[in-house]
Amino acid sequence: MDRTTRHSETRYGNRPTMKDVAARAGVGLKTVSRVVNSEPGVTPDTERRVQEAIDALGFRRNDSARVLRKGRTASIGLVLEDLADPFYGPLSRAVEEVARAHGALLINGSSAEDPEREQELVLALCARRVDGLIVIPAGDDHRYLEPEIKAGIATVFVDRPAGRVDADMVLSDSFGGSREGVAHLIAHGHRRIGFIGDQPRIHTATERLRGYHAAMTDAGITVEDTWVSLGSTEPGRVRAAAEAMLGGPEPVTALFAGNNRVTVTAVRVIAERDRPVALVGFDDIELADLLGITVISQDAAAVGRTAAEHLFRRLDGADHAPARVELPTTLIPRGSGELPPA
């Protein structure tokens, strides 16, 4: 067998062990262990030889034994709805920063808004012995997590409440933000306001719809059935809903978009029309400041940071009753929400 073949087997087959390092450096196994774990009792020359052997072999410490001794893996799991959604970028980054400050590794994945996939992913992370979980739930029944929580896996739910289990949760004020956004349109003279939101089984969608109705009721406005549309945020569905509301003899004069994906499609539909249409979107979107789009902004980074801090407090021994934290939203007027009725 030639050198290339042996190198290939080392690289893609069996990983080099501390025994391999010891043999190459000409030292005992305990000496390698001391160098790898930064323990005292090794001369500089010996440490250099061991480190050269480590570098040459590509040795990486196997933390499995340390996990068994300490009962902690120094890792947490983050289950998102959709990794491509711009809202989750700053949220994930904030969680990672807190995890790093605590010396922990972040492992994340996407449920794709599928409850079965969420459960499969969460349990796979538990099987890999993560210390804690931050979950943006796709489903509404999380009793499958009860044995894991009882076994000591700290869990925080984000953006939407947990279903049928008691756990910490960190949310944005979807109801209050939506109510403020619709009231803003009403204050600029609108009475016929359309609402396009996400699927009704999603907590944030129903809370934002509830905020819409509250603002309209506060203003004494009776909502017509044709002014409300909930469903998939797929562009074709949103476009059809927006065009239906903006067409006919008595069109709406303003739209409230229930999330960032709805807002993007609504902007495109409005841009194709001859008359101006006021728009407020829930969630900020890229280039909204340049396009002059008024939004209800969530602080995604604050949501992620708060959730991670709660998680690590649990891991450090906090045993208070499950907490519900609701963070405020911010209205950012940029022009589209301040247009008067045509």
Side-chain angles (χ1 to χ4, degrees):
M1 185 181 295
D2 62 25
R3 181 185 296 270
T4 303
T5 303
R6 287 197 300 272
H7 177 74
S8 176
E9 286 184 351
T10 300
R11 182 177 178 186
Y12 297 111
N14 297 326
R15 296 179 179 180
T17 66
M18 285 203 292
K19 285 184 179 180
D20 297 326
V21 174
R24 186 180 182 99
V27 300
L29 191 60
K30 181 61 177 175
T31 300
V32 176
S33 176
R34 284 173 176 159
V35 173
V36 168
N37 293 294
S38 301
E39 296 174 357
V42 182
T43 66
D45 181 64
T46 300
E47 183 177 358
R48 176 186 56 77
R49 294 203 330 268
V50 171
Q51 191 59 56
E52 286 175 352
I54 288 172
D55 295 340
L57 293 172
F59 170 80
R60 294 293 181 271
R61 183 176 67 186
N62 185 339
D63 282 339
S64 299
R66 300 173 78 241
V67 168
L68 290 173
R69 288 197 305 270
K70 297 184 177 182
R72 294 270 293 264
T73 62
S75 63
I76 64 170
L78 171 61
V79 179
L80 302 167
E81 173 206 339
D82 182 358
L83 291 170
D85 190 316
F87 174 74
Y88 296 121
L91 185 153
S92 176
R93 188 162 55 249
V95 171
E96 186 171 23
E97 288 172 355
V98 174
R100 184 178 180 185
H102 285 81
L105 177 70
L106 176 66
I107 306 169
N108 59 31
S110 171
S111 69
E113 203 63 75
D114 181 345
E116 290 186 6
R117 183 168 170 177
E118 173 211 296
Q119 180 173 341
E120 180 182 313
L121 181 55
V122 166
L123 293 179
L125 289 167
C126 291
R128 284 158 178 77
R129 301 188 63 177
V130 295
D131 299 320
L133 290 166
I134 295 175
V135 180
I136 291 146
D140 56 7
D141 187 348
H142 295 90
R143 287 176 295 177
Y144 70 86
L145 256 175
E146 284 182 337
E148 311 298 336
I149 294 173
K150 288 178 181 177
I153 294 183
T155 305
V156 178
F157 288 85
V158 174
D159 194 42
R160 307 163 189 175
R164 307 178 75 174
V165 295
D166 290 327
D168 293 324
M169 64 186 76
V170 178
L171 316 173
S172 290
D173 184 8
S174 286
F175 168 77
S178 178
R179 187 176 192 173
E180 182 180 17
V182 175
H184 186 73
L185 290 168
I186 294 170
H188 285 82
H190 296 276
R191 307 285 292 178
R192 302 178 62 83
I193 302 170
F195 178 94
I196 305 177
D198 209 333
Q199 301 181 67
R201 66 179 178 80
I202 297 174
H203 170 81
T204 49
T206 57
E207 282 296 283
R208 291 167 196 176
L209 177 61
R210 194 166 69 88
Y212 164 83
H213 279 294
M216 298 292 269
T217 299
D218 291 344
I221 301 171
T222 300
V223 175
E224 297 183 14
D225 291 343
T226 55
W227 296 355
V228 175
S229 178
L230 297 181
S232 163
T233 56
E234 189 273 324
R237 201 286 301 182
V238 175
R239 172 176 285 275
E243 289 177 344
M245 292 180 190
L246 295 171
E250 292 186 299
V252 298
T253 61
L255 289 175
F256 186 86
N259 67 25
N260 51 10
R261 285 165 287 187
V262 174
T263 301
V264 169
T265 301
V267 168
R268 291 194 172 107
V269 172
I270 290 171
E272 297 167 2
R273 309 191 74 81
D274 295 331
R275 65 181 181 85
V277 178
L279 172 67
V280 174
F282 203 109
D283 288 337
D284 215 344
I285 60 172
E286 189 175 4
L287 302 181
D289 54 339
L290 296 179
L291 295 171
I293 308 300
T294 297
V295 298
I296 301 296
S297 177
Q298 303 182 80
D299 191 339
V303 171
R305 184 168 53 253
T306 302
E309 288 169 348
H310 271 268
L311 185 74
F312 280 100
R313 279 198 288 273
R314 288 292 187 190
L315 291 174
D316 288 339
D319 61 354
H320 54 75
R324 177 186 175 116
V325 179
E326 195 164 75
L327 300 180
T329 57
T330 303
L331 171 68
I332 304 177
R334 296 189 177 120
S336 70
E338 293 69 57
L339 295 172

